[in-house]
Amino acid sequence: MTARPQLHKRNTRQDIQDVALKLFVDRGYEHTSMREIAEELHITKAALYYHFKTKEDILITISSGLGGPVDELIAWGSEQPRTMETKRELLRRYSEVLKGATPSSRSCRRTRRRSGH
């Protein structure tokens, strides 16, 4: 009996968040429907609703992902001297947090992890 190769399990929840964020940015939150999110992912609406009951649930999950890194940044900044150098470093780090929250950067990180890089 031959073993079936293990395929990388698709992270559907994260894919939904990534696509929804892209659509929210491109079209606006109010002008994006659950149907459009499902179509963009090539999944059924039932599959989408399995993971998220409402569009607001998706948005809450996306925004909550930023909470931890921003809280850590604030804690770090509060312990630093109040200098121009600290302000520049806070902006640099905040920029990195935001870059890390974008769908394209998350997709790249997942691809690198899957490939072992």
Side-chain angles (χ1 to χ4, degrees), residues 11-102:
N11 187 341
T12 305
R13 260 183 89 80
Q14 187 62 60
D15 291 345
I16 291 168
Q17 292 172 41
D18 291 347
V19 167
L21 179 60
K22 178 186 176 305
L23 293 174
F24 294 162
V25 169
D26 291 348
R27 300 176 183 173
Y29 175 80
E30 293 298 325
H31 299 290
T32 301
S33 69
M34 294 288 274
R35 178 188 52 79
E36 292 168 325
I37 295 168
E39 286 175 356
E40 187 78 18
L41 285 162
H42 305 288
I43 63 174
T44 65
K45 285 196 314 185
L48 177 59
Y49 283 107
Y50 172 81
H51 294 281
F52 295 98
K53 300 301 177 211
T54 66
K55 189 169 62 166
E56 184 178 8
D57 289 343
I58 299 171
L59 184 62
I60 289 168
T61 305
I62 291 169
S63 61
S64 69
L66 282 175
V70 171
D71 289 343
E72 291 171 15
L73 181 58
I74 290 169
W76 176 85
S78 66
E79 297 173 355
Q80 304 305 310
R82 298 188 186 276
T83 64
M84 185 56 71
E85 183 178 331
T86 298
K87 291 176 184 176
R88 284 189 189 109
E89 182 62 15
L90 274 169
L91 287 174
R92 187 195 68 73
R93 290 180 181 209
Y94 184 61
S95 175
E96 291 299 315
V97 167
L98 294 178
K99 285 180 192 174
T102 60

Coordinates of all heavy atoms in Angstrom, one line a residue, residues 11-102:
N11 N -4.9 27.4 4.4 CA -5.4 28.1 5.5 C -6.6 29.0 5.0 O -6.4 30.2 4.7 CB -4.3 28.9 6.2 CG -4.8 29.6 7.5 OD1 -6.0 29.7 7.7 ND2 -3.9 30.0 8.3
T12 N -7.7 28.4 4.9 CA -8.9 29.1 4.3 C -9.3 30.3 5.1 O -9.6 31.4 4.5 CB -10.1 28.1 4.2 OG1 -9.7 27.0 3.5 CG2 -11.3 28.8 3.5
R13 N -9.3 30.3 6.4 CA -9.6 31.5 7.2 C -8.7 32.6 6.8 O -9.1 33.8 6.7 CB -9.5 31.2 8.7 CG -10.8 30.9 9.4 CD -10.6 30.7 10.9 NE -10.7 31.9 11.6 CZ -11.8 32.5 12.0 NH1 -12.9 32.0 11.6 NH2 -11.8 33.5 12.7
Q14 N -7.4 32.4 6.8 CA -6.4 33.4 6.5 C -6.6 33.9 5.0 O -6.6 35.1 4.8 CB -5.0 33.0 6.7 CG -4.0 34.1 6.5 CD -4.2 35.2 7.6 OE1 -4.1 34.9 8.7 NE2 -4.4 36.4 7.1
D15 N -6.9 33.0 4.1 CA -7.1 33.4 2.7 C -8.4 34.3 2.6 O -8.4 35.3 1.9 CB -7.4 32.2 1.8 CG -6.1 31.3 1.6 OD1 -5.0 31.8 1.9 OD2 -6.2 30.2 1.2
I16 N -9.4 34.0 3.4 CA -10.6 34.8 3.4 C -10.3 36.2 3.9 O -10.7 37.2 3.3 CB -11.7 34.2 4.3 CG1 -12.2 32.9 3.6 CG2 -12.8 35.2 4.5 CD1 -13.1 32.0 4.5
Q17 N -9.5 36.3 5.0 CA -9.1 37.6 5.5 C -8.3 38.4 4.5 O -8.5 39.6 4.4 CB -8.3 37.4 6.8 CG -9.1 36.9 8.0 CD -8.3 36.5 9.2 OE1 -7.4 37.2 9.5 NE2 -8.6 35.4 9.8
D18 N -7.4 37.7 3.9 CA -6.5 38.4 2.9 C -7.3 39.0 1.7 O -7.2 40.1 1.3 CB -5.4 37.5 2.4 CG -4.4 37.1 3.4 OD1 -4.4 37.8 4.5 OD2 -3.6 36.2 3.1
V19 N -8.2 38.2 1.2 CA -9.1 38.6 0.1 C -10.0 39.7 0.5 O -10.2 40.7 -0.2 CB -9.8 37.4 -0.6 CG1 -10.9 37.8 -1.5 CG2 -8.8 36.5 -1.3
A20 N -10.6 39.5 1.6 CA -11.6 40.5 2.1 C -10.9 41.8 2.3 O -11.4 42.9 1.9 CB -12.2 40.0 3.4
L21 N -9.7 41.8 2.9 CA -9.0 43.1 3.2 C -8.7 43.7 1.8 O -8.9 45.0 1.7 CB -7.7 42.8 3.9 CG -6.8 44.0 4.2 CD1 -7.6 45.1 5.0 CD2 -5.6 43.6 4.9
K22 N -8.3 43.0 0.9 CA -8.0 43.5 -0.5 C -9.3 44.2 -1.1 O -9.2 45.3 -1.6 CB -7.5 42.5 -1.4 CG -7.2 43.0 -2.8 CD -6.8 41.8 -3.7 CE -6.6 42.3 -5.2 NZ -7.7 43.0 -5.7
L23 N -10.4 43.5 -1.0 CA -11.6 44.0 -1.5 C -12.1 45.2 -0.7 O -12.6 46.2 -1.3 CB -12.7 42.9 -1.5 CG -12.4 41.8 -2.5 CD1 -13.5 40.7 -2.4 CD2 -12.4 42.3 -4.0
F24 N -12.0 45.2 0.6 CA -12.4 46.3 1.4 C -11.6 47.6 1.0 O -12.1 48.7 1.0 CB -12.2 46.0 2.9 CG -13.0 44.9 3.5 CD1 -12.7 44.3 4.7 CD2 -14.2 44.5 2.8 CE1 -13.5 43.4 5.3 CE2 -15.0 43.5 3.4 CZ -14.6 42.9 4.6
V25 N -10.3 47.4 0.8 CA -9.4 48.5 0.4 C -9.8 49.0 -1.0 O -9.9 50.2 -1.3 CB -7.9 48.1 0.5 CG1 -7.0 49.2 -0.2 CG2 -7.5 47.9 1.9
D26 N -10.0 48.0 -1.9 CA -10.2 48.4 -3.3 C -11.6 49.0 -3.5 O -11.8 50.0 -4.3 CB -10.1 47.2 -4.2 CG -8.7 46.7 -4.4 OD1 -7.7 47.4 -4.0 OD2 -8.4 45.6 -4.9
R27 N -12.6 48.4 -2.9 CA -14.0 48.7 -3.2 C -14.7 49.5 -2.0 O -15.8 50.0 -2.2 CB -14.8 47.5 -3.5 CG -14.3 46.7 -4.6 CD -15.1 45.4 -4.8 NE -14.6 44.6 -5.9 CZ -15.0 43.4 -6.2 NH1 -15.9 42.9 -5.5 NH2 -14.4 42.8 -7.2
G28 N -14.1 49.3 -0.8 CA -14.8 49.9 0.4 C -15.5 48.8 1.1 O -16.1 47.8 0.4
Y29 N -15.5 48.9 2.4 CA -16.2 47.8 3.2 C -17.7 47.7 2.8 O -18.2 46.6 2.6 CB -16.0 48.2 4.7 CG -16.8 47.3 5.6 CD1 -16.3 46.1 6.0 CD2 -18.0 47.7 6.2 CE1 -16.9 45.2 6.8 CE2 -18.7 46.8 7.0 CZ -18.2 45.6 7.4 OH -18.8 44.8 8.2
E30 N -18.4 48.8 2.7 CA -19.8 48.8 2.4 C -20.1 48.3 1.0 O -21.2 47.8 0.8 CB -20.4 50.2 2.6 CG -20.4 50.8 4.0 CD -21.2 49.9 5.0 OE1 -22.2 49.4 4.5 OE2 -20.8 49.8 6.1
H31 N -19.2 48.4 0.1 CA -19.5 48.0 -1.3 C -18.9 46.6 -1.6 O -18.8 46.2 -2.7 CB -18.9 49.0 -2.2 CG -19.5 50.3 -2.1 ND1 -20.8 50.6 -2.5 CD2 -19.0 51.5 -1.6 CE1 -21.1 51.9 -2.2 NE2 -20.0 52.4 -1.6
T32 N -18.5 45.8 -0.5 CA -18.0 44.5 -0.7 C -19.0 43.5 0.0 O -19.4 43.7 1.1 CB -16.6 44.3 0.0 OG1 -15.7 45.2 -0.6 CG2 -16.1 42.9 -0.2
S33 N -19.4 42.5 -0.8 CA -20.4 41.6 -0.2 C -19.7 40.2 0.1 O -18.6 39.9 -0.4 CB -21.5 41.3 -1.2 OG -21.0 40.6 -2.4
M34 N -20.3 39.5 0.9 CA -19.8 38.1 1.2 C -19.8 37.3 -0.1 O -18.9 36.5 -0.3 CB -20.7 37.4 2.3 CG -20.7 38.1 3.6 SD -19.2 37.8 4.5 CE -19.5 36.3 5.3
R35 N -20.8 37.5 -0.9 CA -20.8 36.7 -2.2 C -19.5 37.1 -3.0 O -18.9 36.2 -3.6 CB -22.0 37.1 -3.0 CG -22.1 36.4 -4.4 CD -23.2 36.9 -5.3 NE -23.2 38.4 -5.4 CZ -22.4 39.1 -6.2 NH1 -21.6 38.5 -7.0 NH2 -22.6 40.4 -6.3
E36 N -19.1 38.3 -3.1 CA -17.9 38.7 -3.8 C -16.7 38.2 -3.2 O -15.8 37.8 -4.0 CB -17.8 40.3 -3.9 CG -18.9 40.9 -4.7 CD -19.0 42.4 -4.6 OE1 -18.8 42.9 -3.4 OE2 -19.3 43.1 -5.6
I37 N -16.6 38.1 -1.9 CA -15.4 37.5 -1.3 C -15.3 36.0 -1.6 O -14.3 35.5 -2.0 CB -15.5 37.7 0.3 CG1 -15.4 39.2 0.6 CG2 -14.4 36.9 1.0 CD1 -15.8 39.5 2.1
A38 N -16.5 35.3 -1.5 CA -16.5 33.9 -1.9 C -16.1 33.7 -3.4 O -15.3 32.8 -3.7 CB -17.9 33.3 -1.6
E39 N -16.6 34.5 -4.2 CA -16.3 34.4 -5.7 C -14.8 34.6 -5.9 O -14.2 33.9 -6.7 CB -17.1 35.4 -6.5 CG -18.6 35.0 -6.6 CD -19.4 36.0 -7.4 OE1 -18.9 37.1 -7.7 OE2 -20.6 35.7 -7.6
E40 N -14.3 35.6 -5.3 CA -12.8 35.9 -5.5 C -12.0 34.7 -5.0 O -10.9 34.5 -5.6 CB -12.5 37.1 -4.7 CG -11.1 37.7 -4.9 CD -10.9 38.4 -6.2 OE1 -12.0 38.9 -6.8 OE2 -9.8 38.6 -6.6
L41 N -12.4 34.0 -4.0 CA -11.7 32.8 -3.5 C -12.0 31.5 -4.2 O -11.4 30.5 -4.0 CB -12.0 32.7 -2.0 CG -11.3 33.7 -1.1 CD1 -12.0 33.7 0.2 CD2 -9.8 33.3 -1.0
H42 N -13.1 31.6 -5.1 CA -13.5 30.4 -5.8 C -14.0 29.3 -4.8 O -13.7 28.1 -4.9 CB -12.5 29.8 -6.7 CG -12.0 30.8 -7.7 ND1 -12.7 31.2 -8.8 CD2 -10.8 31.4 -7.8 CE1 -12.0 32.1 -9.5 NE2 -10.8 32.2 -8.9
I43 N -14.7 29.8 -3.7 CA -15.3 28.9 -2.8 C -16.8 29.2 -2.7 O -17.3 30.3 -3.2 CB -14.7 29.0 -1.4 CG1 -14.9 30.4 -0.8 CG2 -13.2 28.6 -1.4 CD1 -14.5 30.6 0.7
T44 N -17.6 28.3 -2.1 CA -19.0 28.6 -2.0 C -19.3 29.5 -0.9 O -18.5 29.7 0.0 CB -19.8 27.2 -1.8 OG1 -19.4 26.8 -0.5 CG2 -19.5 26.2 -2.8
K45 N -20.5 30.2 -1.0 CA -20.9 31.0 0.2 C -21.0 30.2 1.4 O -20.7 30.7 2.5 CB -22.2 31.8 -0.2 CG -22.0 32.9 -1.1 CD -23.1 33.9 -1.2 CE -24.5 33.3 -1.2 NZ -25.6 34.3 -1.4
A46 N -21.5 29.0 1.3 CA -21.6 28.1 2.5 C -20.2 27.9 3.1 O -20.1 27.9 4.4 CB -22.2 26.8 2.1
A47 N -19.2 27.7 2.3 CA -17.8 27.5 2.9 C -17.4 28.8 3.6 O -16.7 28.8 4.6 CB -16.8 27.2 1.8
L48 N -17.7 30.0 3.0 CA -17.3 31.3 3.6 C -18.0 31.4 4.9 O -17.4 31.8 5.9 CB -17.7 32.4 2.6 CG -17.4 33.8 3.2 CD1 -16.0 34.0 3.5 CD2 -17.9 34.8 2.1
Y49 N -19.3 31.1 4.9 CA -20.1 31.3 6.2 C -19.7 30.3 7.2 O -19.9 30.5 8.4 CB -21.6 31.2 5.9 CG -22.2 32.5 5.3 CD1 -22.5 32.5 4.0 CD2 -22.3 33.6 6.1 CE1 -23.0 33.7 3.4 CE2 -22.8 34.8 5.5 CZ -23.2 34.8 4.2 OH -23.7 36.0 3.7
Y50 N -19.1 29.2 6.9 CA -18.6 28.2 7.8 C -17.5 28.9 8.7 O -17.4 28.6 9.9 CB -18.0 27.0 7.1 CG -17.3 26.0 8.0 CD1 -18.0 25.1 8.8 CD2 -15.9 26.0 8.1 CE1 -17.4 24.2 9.6 CE2 -15.3 25.2 9.0 CZ -16.0 24.3 9.7 OH -15.3 23.4 10.6
H51 N -16.7 29.7 8.0 CA -15.6 30.3 8.7 C -16.0 31.7 9.4 O -15.5 32.0 10.5 CB -14.4 30.6 7.8 CG -13.8 29.3 7.3 ND1 -12.9 28.6 8.1 CD2 -14.0 28.6 6.1 CE1 -12.6 27.5 7.4 NE2 -13.2 27.5 6.2
F52 N -16.8 32.4 8.7 CA -17.2 33.8 9.2 C -18.7 33.9 9.0 O -19.2 33.8 7.9 CB -16.5 34.9 8.5 CG -15.0 34.9 8.8 CD1 -14.1 34.3 7.9 CD2 -14.5 35.4 9.9 CE1 -12.8 34.3 8.1 CE2 -13.1 35.4 10.2 CZ -12.3 34.8 9.3
K53 N -19.5 34.2 10.0 CA -20.9 34.4 9.9 C -21.3 35.7 9.3 O -22.3 35.8 8.6 CB -21.6 34.3 11.3 CG -21.4 33.0 12.0 CD -21.9 31.8 11.2 CE -21.5 30.5 11.9 NZ -21.3 29.4 11.0
T54 N -20.5 36.8 9.4 CA -20.8 38.1 8.9 C -19.5 38.7 8.3 O -18.4 38.3 8.7 CB -21.4 39.0 9.9 OG1 -20.4 39.3 10.9 CG2 -22.7 38.4 10.6
K55 N -19.7 39.7 7.5 CA -18.6 40.5 7.0 C -17.9 41.2 8.2 O -16.7 41.4 8.2 CB -19.2 41.5 6.0 CG -18.2 42.3 5.2 CD -18.8 43.0 4.0 CE -19.8 44.1 4.5 NZ -20.2 45.0 3.4
E56 N -18.7 41.7 9.1 CA -18.2 42.3 10.3 C -17.2 41.4 11.1 O -16.2 41.8 11.6 CB -19.3 42.8 11.2 CG -18.7 43.6 12.4 CD -19.9 44.1 13.3 OE1 -21.0 43.8 13.1 OE2 -19.5 44.9 14.2
D57 N -17.6 40.1 11.2 CA -16.7 39.1 11.8 C -15.3 39.1 11.1 O -14.3 39.0 11.8 CB -17.3 37.7 11.8 CG -18.5 37.6 12.7 OD1 -18.7 38.4 13.6 OD2 -19.3 36.6 12.5
I58 N -15.3 39.2 9.8 CA -14.1 39.2 9.1 C -13.3 40.4 9.4 O -12.1 40.3 9.7 CB -14.3 39.1 7.5 CG1 -15.1 37.8 7.1 CG2 -13.0 39.2 6.8 CD1 -15.5 37.8 5.7
L59 N -13.9 41.6 9.4 CA -13.2 42.8 9.7 C -12.7 42.8 11.1 O -11.5 43.2 11.4 CB -14.2 44.0 9.5 CG -13.6 45.4 9.7 CD1 -12.5 45.6 8.7 CD2 -14.7 46.4 9.6
I60 N -13.4 42.3 12.1 CA -13.0 42.2 13.5 C -11.7 41.4 13.6 O -10.7 41.7 14.3 CB -14.1 41.7 14.4 CG1 -15.2 42.8 14.5 CG2 -13.5 41.3 15.8 CD1 -16.5 42.3 15.2
T61 N -11.7 40.2 12.9 CA -10.6 39.3 12.9 C -9.4 40.0 12.3 O -8.2 39.9 12.8 CB -10.9 38.0 12.2 OG1 -12.1 37.5 12.8 CG2 -9.8 37.0 12.3
I62 N -9.6 40.7 11.2 CA -8.4 41.4 10.5 C -7.9 42.4 11.5 O -6.6 42.5 11.7 CB -8.9 42.0 9.2 CG1 -9.2 41.0 8.2 CG2 -7.8 43.0 8.7 CD1 -10.0 41.5 6.9
S63 N -8.7 43.3 12.0 CA -8.2 44.3 12.9 C -7.6 43.8 14.2 O -6.7 44.4 14.7 CB -9.3 45.4 13.1 OG -10.4 44.8 13.8
S64 N -8.1 42.7 14.7 CA -7.6 42.2 16.0 C -6.2 41.7 15.8 O -5.4 41.7 16.7 CB -8.5 41.1 16.6 OG -8.5 40.0 15.8
G65 N -5.8 41.3 14.6 CA -4.5 40.8 14.3 C -3.4 41.9 14.4 O -2.3 41.6 14.6
L66 N -3.8 43.1 14.3 CA -2.9 44.3 14.5 C -2.7 44.6 16.0 O -1.7 45.3 16.3 CB -3.4 45.5 13.8 CG -3.2 45.5 12.3 CD1 -3.9 46.7 11.7 CD2 -1.8 45.5 11.9
G67 N -3.6 44.3 16.8 CA -3.6 44.7 18.2 C -2.3 44.3 19.0 O -1.7 45.1 19.6
G68 N -1.9 43.0 18.9 CA -0.8 42.6 19.6 C 0.5 43.3 19.2 O 1.2 43.9 20.1
P69 N 0.9 43.3 17.9 CA 2.1 44.0 17.5 C 2.1 45.5 17.9 O 3.1 46.1 18.3 CB 2.1 43.8 16.0 CG 1.4 42.6 15.8 CD 0.3 42.6 16.8
V70 N 0.9 46.2 17.8 CA 0.9 47.6 18.1 C 1.0 47.8 19.6 O 1.7 48.7 20.0 CB -0.4 48.2 17.6 CG1 -0.6 49.6 18.1 CG2 -0.5 48.2 16.0
D71 N 0.4 46.9 20.4 CA 0.5 47.0 21.9 C 2.0 46.8 22.3 O 2.5 47.5 23.1 CB -0.3 46.0 22.6 CG -1.8 46.3 22.5 OD1 -2.2 47.4 22.2 OD2 -2.6 45.3 22.7
E72 N 2.7 45.9 21.6 CA 4.1 45.7 21.9 C 4.9 46.9 21.5 O 5.8 47.3 22.3 CB 4.6 44.4 21.1 CG 4.1 43.1 21.7 CD 4.4 41.9 20.8 OE1 5.3 42.1 19.9 OE2 3.8 40.9 20.9
L73 N 4.6 47.5 20.4 CA 5.3 48.7 20.0 C 5.1 49.8 20.9 O 6.1 50.5 21.3 CB 4.9 49.1 18.6 CG 5.5 50.3 17.9 CD1 7.1 50.1 17.9 CD2 5.0 50.5 16.6
I74 N 3.9 50.0 21.4 CA 3.6 51.1 22.4 C 4.4 50.8 23.7 O 5.0 51.7 24.2 CB 2.1 51.2 22.6 CG1 1.4 51.7 21.4 CG2 1.8 52.0 23.9 CD1 -0.1 51.6 21.4
A75 N 4.4 49.6 24.1 CA 5.1 49.2 25.4 C 6.6 49.5 25.2 O 7.3 50.1 26.1 CB 4.9 47.8 25.7
W76 N 7.2 49.1 24.0 CA 8.6 49.4 23.8 C 8.8 50.9 23.8 O 9.8 51.4 24.4 CB 9.0 48.8 22.4 CG 10.4 49.1 22.1 CD1 11.5 48.5 22.5 CD2 10.9 50.2 21.3 NE1 12.6 49.1 21.9 CE2 12.3 50.2 21.2 CE3 10.2 51.3 20.6 CZ2 13.0 51.1 20.5 CZ3 11.0 52.2 19.9 CH2 12.4 52.1 19.8
G77 N 8.0 51.7 23.1 CA 8.2 53.1 22.9 C 8.1 53.8 24.3 O 8.8 54.8 24.5
S78 N 7.2 53.3 25.2 CA 7.1 54.0 26.4 C 8.3 53.9 27.3 O 8.5 54.7 28.3 CB 5.8 53.5 27.2 OG 6.0 52.2 27.5
E79 N 9.1 52.9 27.0 CA 10.4 52.7 27.8 C 11.6 53.4 27.2 O 12.7 53.3 27.8 CB 10.6 51.2 27.9 CG 9.6 50.4 28.7 CD 9.8 48.9 28.6 OE1 10.7 48.5 27.9 OE2 9.0 48.2 29.2
Q80 N 11.4 54.0 26.1 CA 12.5 54.6 25.4 C 12.6 56.1 25.8 O 11.7 56.7 26.1 CB 12.4 54.5 23.9 CG 12.2 53.1 23.4 CD 13.4 52.2 23.9 OE1 14.5 52.5 23.7 NE2 13.0 51.0 24.5
P81 N 13.8 56.7 25.6 CA 14.0 58.1 25.8 C 13.2 58.9 24.7 O 13.0 58.4 23.6 CB 15.5 58.4 25.7 CG 16.0 57.2 24.9 CD 15.1 56.1 25.2
R82 N 12.7 60.0 25.1 CA 11.9 60.8 24.2 C 12.8 61.7 23.3 O 13.0 62.9 23.5 CB 10.9 61.7 24.9 CG 9.9 60.8 25.7 CD 8.8 61.7 26.3 NE 8.0 60.8 27.2 CZ 6.9 60.1 26.8 NH1 6.7 60.0 25.5 NH2 6.2 59.4 27.6
T83 N 13.3 61.0 22.3 CA 14.3 61.7 21.3 C 13.7 61.6 19.9 O 12.8 60.7 19.6 CB 15.7 61.1 21.4 OG1 15.6 59.7 21.0 CG2 16.2 61.1 22.8
M84 N 14.3 62.3 19.0 CA 13.9 62.2 17.6 C 14.3 60.9 17.1 O 13.6 60.3 16.3 CB 14.7 63.3 16.8 CG 14.2 63.4 15.4 SD 12.4 63.6 15.1 CE 12.2 65.3 15.6
E85 N 15.4 60.3 17.5 CA 15.8 59.0 17.1 C 14.7 57.9 17.5 O 14.4 57.0 16.7 CB 17.2 58.6 17.7 CG 17.7 57.3 17.2 CD 19.1 56.9 17.8 OE1 19.8 57.9 18.1 OE2 19.3 55.7 17.9
T86 N 14.2 58.0 18.7 CA 13.2 57.1 19.1 C 11.9 57.3 18.3 O 11.3 56.3 17.9 CB 12.8 57.3 20.6 OG1 14.0 57.1 21.4 CG2 11.7 56.4 21.1
K87 N 11.6 58.5 18.0 CA 10.4 58.7 17.1 C 10.6 58.1 15.8 O 9.6 57.5 15.2 CB 10.1 60.2 17.0 CG 9.6 60.9 18.3 CD 9.5 62.4 18.2 CE 9.1 62.9 19.6 NZ 9.0 64.4 19.6
R88 N 11.7 58.3 15.2 CA 12.0 57.7 13.9 C 11.9 56.2 14.0 O 11.3 55.5 13.1 CB 13.4 58.1 13.4 CG 13.5 59.5 12.9 CD 14.8 59.8 12.2 NE 14.9 61.2 11.9 CZ 15.7 62.0 12.5 NH1 16.6 61.6 13.4 NH2 15.8 63.3 12.2
E89 N 12.5 55.6 15.0 CA 12.4 54.1 15.2 C 11.0 53.6 15.4 O 10.6 52.6 14.9 CB 13.3 53.7 16.4 CG 13.4 52.2 16.6 CD 14.0 51.4 15.4 OE1 14.6 52.0 14.5 OE2 13.8 50.2 15.4
L90 N 10.2 54.4 16.1 CA 8.8 54.0 16.3 C 8.1 54.0 15.0 O 7.3 53.1 14.7 CB 8.1 55.0 17.3 CG 8.2 54.7 18.7 CD1 7.7 55.9 19.5 CD2 7.4 53.5 19.1
L91 N 8.3 55.0 14.2 CA 7.7 55.1 12.8 C 8.2 53.9 11.9 O 7.4 53.3 11.2 CB 8.0 56.4 12.2 CG 7.2 57.6 12.7 CD1 7.7 58.9 12.1 CD2 5.7 57.4 12.5
R92 N 9.4 53.6 12.0 CA 10.0 52.5 11.2 C 9.3 51.2 11.6 O 8.9 50.4 10.8 CB 11.5 52.4 11.4 CG 12.1 51.4 10.4 CD 13.6 51.1 10.8 NE 13.7 50.3 12.1 CZ 13.3 49.1 12.2 NH1 12.8 48.3 11.2 NH2 13.4 48.5 13.4
R93 N 9.3 51.0 12.9 CA 8.7 49.7 13.4 C 7.2 49.7 13.2 O 6.7 48.6 12.8 CB 8.9 49.6 15.0 CG 10.4 49.3 15.3 CD 10.6 49.2 16.8 NE 12.0 49.0 17.1 CZ 12.4 48.3 18.1 NH1 11.6 47.8 19.0 NH2 13.7 48.1 18.4
Y94 N 6.5 50.8 13.3 CA 5.1 50.8 13.0 C 4.8 50.5 11.5 O 3.9 49.7 11.1 CB 4.5 52.2 13.3 CG 3.0 52.2 13.1 CD1 2.1 51.4 13.8 CD2 2.4 53.1 12.2 CE1 0.7 51.5 13.7 CE2 1.0 53.2 12.1 CZ 0.2 52.4 12.8 OH -1.1 52.4 12.6
S95 N 5.7 51.0 10.6 CA 5.6 50.7 9.2 C 5.8 49.2 9.0 O 5.1 48.6 8.2 CB 6.7 51.5 8.5 OG 6.7 51.2 7.1
E96 N 6.7 48.6 9.7 CA 6.9 47.2 9.6 C 5.7 46.4 10.0 O 5.3 45.4 9.4 CB 8.1 46.7 10.3 CG 9.5 47.2 9.8 CD 9.7 46.7 8.4 OE1 9.5 45.5 8.1 OE2 10.1 47.5 7.5
V97 N 5.0 46.8 11.1 CA 3.8 46.2 11.6 C 2.8 46.2 10.5 O 2.1 45.2 10.2 CB 3.3 46.8 12.9 CG1 1.9 46.4 13.2 CG2 4.2 46.5 14.0
L98 N 2.6 47.4 9.9 CA 1.6 47.6 8.8 C 1.9 46.7 7.6 O 1.0 46.1 7.0 CB 1.4 49.0 8.5 CG 0.8 49.9 9.6 CD1 0.7 51.4 9.1 CD2 -0.5 49.4 10.0
K99 N 3.2 46.7 7.2 CA 3.6 45.9 6.1 C 3.3 44.4 6.4 O 2.9 43.7 5.5 CB 5.1 46.1 5.8 CG 5.4 47.3 5.1 CD 6.9 47.4 4.9 CE 7.4 48.8 4.4 NZ 8.8 48.8 4.4
G100 N 3.5 44.0 7.6 CA 3.3 42.6 8.0 C 1.8 42.3 8.0 O 1.4 41.1 7.9
A101 N 0.9 43.3 8.0 CA -0.5 43.0 8.1 C -1.1 43.0 6.7 O -2.3 42.6 6.6 CB -1.2 44.1 8.9
T102 N -0.4 43.3 5.7 CA -1.0 43.3 4.3 C -1.1 41.9 3.8 O -0.2 41.1 4.0 CB -0.1 44.2 3.4 OG1 1.2 43.7 3.3 CG2 -0.1 45.7 3.8

